[in-house]
Amino acid sequence: MICVAGVKFQLPAAPPTYSIYSSIFPLRRGRGLTGLKNLGNTCYMNSILQCLSNTPQLTEYCISDKYKSYISRSNRTNGQVIEEVAALIKELWNGQYKCVASRDLRYVVGQYQKIFRGVDQQDSHEFLTILMDWLHSDLQTLHVARQRETISASEKAWLEFTKAKESMILHLFYGQIKSTVKCVACNKESATYECFSNLSLELPPNSNVCQLNQCMDMYFSGERIQGWNCPNCNTKRDAIKKLDISKLPPVLVVHLKRFYADPGNTGAYIKKQNYLRFPLDNLEMTPYIARAESRAVTPKTYQLYAVSNHYGTMEGGHYTAFCKSANYGRWFKFDDQIVSALDTSNVVSSAAYILFYTWLPPMQMSL
């Protein structure tokens, strides 16, 4: 039994019987070690799906069929995305197949976002961000009542974002950023709040090797802006804009901005090949949180459990996933239909593109 944001999860005593999902390729594998067939440049999708499949709380939520009690049919995707994601996760974890093909899920996401229909390579970060929004919307049925008459600005912004209806996806993956603008003349401050499902960090310029905390420092250090309409001075002033985390999610997803527009070639993109060193354990987020969040009892230290990697260029690249199996307690490489053991020393590489961290306790997934 585990509880996340008030939602309790109980591992089922025995795996249910699943229907055949899309095209299935036989040969038995261990639970959670099933590959995904490349359906024509769908490695970007496969990489993200394997990272999500190795998020134990999400996987248990799908395998136990608990998600079925919370599906919303009043949104744009009509609950179809969570149904297909759950069906796929069940196949990845039943241990029956070496490889499966996610044709049904690909068809559904293509109906709601045309860039995912064809055989062109897409960005795994864009796919993840859109998928998170769809999954949250598909499950946004948990009513949250305001507990007291007066609430903080942070809580008010959270309620406005959720419209007092939350979801398991929101509880796991979504946090909140506080943006503070401070006038350099009179020190007047103005704060706004925005929810996020992942943090997008710049890589340090002119640095072949860098640390994740350098990227964090750049993101949260603050910047000077000009022409801010100070409400106290009643005129345009220079100001300092500073970001802090006002709400930490149990699962922290970090995106590295490796692609940027080539100034010498209109429409072309260049990839930053920086070798980023990032911790597998004990990612400390305390330096980046707002004062109110620092007083919260939620953990501030995270452990890595999955990485979405990108190799090559924007035009000719390939995606894989490195995931730490909750079932076996070790790392594996997911390269489309090929799944192989991975030495821990090889998890950190220059191909790292999206990092998945969690502060949730380990959860055995031997379903």
Side-chain angles (χ1 to χ4, degrees):
M1 177 78 73
I2 188 170
C3 181
V4 178
V7 180
K8 294 182 179 180
F9 304 96
Q10 178 69 52
L11 293 178
T17 301
Y18 309 118
S19 59
I20 297 300
Y21 182 81
S22 297
S23 300
I24 295 177
F25 301 81
L27 293 179
R28 185 178 180 85
R29 294 297 297 263
R31 297 187 186 281
L33 300 182
T34 296
L36 285 168
K37 183 175 173 60
N38 193 317
L39 302 175
N41 281 326
T42 56
C43 57
Y44 72 94
M45 189 180 297
N46 293 346
S47 172
I48 294 302
L49 292 171
Q50 292 289 11
C51 290
L52 294 180
S53 172
N54 281 279
T55 305
Q57 289 72 23
L58 174 61
T59 294
E60 192 277 330
Y61 193 66
C62 292
I63 291 177
S64 66
D65 283 339
K66 187 162 187 176
Y67 75 94
K68 291 183 178 180
S69 301
Y70 300 96
I71 294 178
S72 171
R73 300 296 185 185
S74 59
N75 63 322
R76 177 172 174 251
T77 50
N78 196 36
Q80 289 182 300
V81 176
I82 182 58
E83 288 182 321
E84 294 303 331
V85 167
L88 178 59
I89 286 178
K90 289 176 182 178
E91 290 300 337
L92 293 176
W93 277 88
N94 67 17
Q96 297 294 317
Y97 310 104
K98 181 179 180 180
C99 176
V100 298
S102 57
R103 289 193 176 92
D104 294 349
L105 175 59
R106 186 192 182 198
Y107 174 80
V108 167
V109 298
Q111 295 303 298
Y112 297 110
Q113 184 62 263
K114 64 181 180 180
I115 62 171
F116 302 140
R117 293 178 192 171
V119 294
D120 293 335
Q121 183 68 274
Q122 302 299 333
D123 179 38
S124 70
H125 174 246
E126 183 176 14
F127 175 70
L128 171 65
T129 304
I130 293 173
L131 183 64
M132 283 291 101
D133 182 61
W134 284 341
L135 290 174
H136 165 57
S137 181
D138 274 357
L139 293 168
Q140 194 176 5
T141 57
L142 296 173
H143 290 272
V144 179
R146 193 170 68 179
Q147 300 298 316
R148 53 188 183 278
E149 290 300 319
T150 58
I151 60 175
S152 66
S154 171
E155 292 170 320
K156 182 179 179 182
W158 185 264
L159 280 174
E160 289 174 352
F161 173 75
T162 64
K163 300 178 176 61
K165 286 186 179 181
E166 301 188 357
S167 71
M168 172 59 175
I169 300 299
L170 185 88
H171 291 168
L172 276 179
F173 293 96
Y174 279 73
Q176 187 185 60
I177 290 284
K178 178 183 181 182
S179 176
T180 305
V181 180
K182 183 177 182 179
C183 177
V184 298
C186 71
N187 291 327
K188 172 69 175 180
E189 290 187 357
S190 176
T192 56
Y193 297 85
E194 184 177 354
C195 292
F196 68 89
S197 61
N198 60 79
L199 296 177
S200 287
L201 308 183
E202 297 280 358
L203 291 165
N206 306 317
S207 177
N208 293 327
V209 180
C210 53
Q211 304 278 349
L212 179 58
N213 68 314
Q214 289 178 267
C215 303
M216 291 282 189
D217 291 343
M218 289 170 55
Y219 186 80
F220 292 105
S221 63
E223 60 177 335
R224 195 179 186 93
I225 58 176
Q226 296 178 328
W228 182 58
N229 289 310
C230 177
N232 191 49
C233 297
N234 292 318
T235 187
K236 292 185 182 297
R237 296 288 194 187
D238 283 2
I240 301 297
K241 181 179 180 181
K242 177 75 166 62
L243 300 179
D244 297 286
I245 296 179
S246 52
K247 185 179 180 64
L248 279 167
V251 176
L252 178 65
V253 181
V254 178
H255 163 241
L256 306 171
K257 292 184 176 180
R258 291 198 176 273
F259 301 103
Y260 63 99
D262 184 355
N265 188 355
T266 304
Y269 281 80
I270 297 175
K271 181 184 177 184
K272 291 184 178 181
Q273 301 284 359
N274 305 56
Y275 184 93
L276 180 77
R277 293 195 175 109
F278 48 90
L280 273 63
D281 298 293
N282 301 319
L283 171 64
E284 181 56 63
M285 294 301 294
T286 300
Y288 312 113
I289 60 180
R291 282 193 296 264
E293 173 66 10
S294 66
R295 294 191 294 267
V297 297
T298 54
K300 314 296 189 297
T301 306
Y302 289 79
Q303 287 74 47
L304 186 77
Y305 72 92
V307 183
S308 174
N309 302 295
H310 182 273
Y311 302 87
T313 65
M314 193 75 170
E315 293 76 23
H318 180 61
Y319 289 95
T320 69
F322 296 162
C323 303
K324 188 174 184 179
S325 169
N327 199 33
Y328 298 99
R330 59 175 300 183
W331 288 87
F332 290 88
K333 177 182 179 180
F334 295 82
D335 187 354
D336 288 333
Q337 64 267 28
I338 300 173
V339 180
S340 56
L342 179 72
D343 192 273
T344 305
S345 63
N346 294 324
V347 173
V348 178
S349 77
S350 59
Y353 185 44
I354 306 174
L355 311 175
F356 292 74
Y357 283 92
T358 180
W359 54 246
L360 293 171
M363 187 177 187
Q364 185 69 3
M365 290 300 297
S366 55
L367 304 178

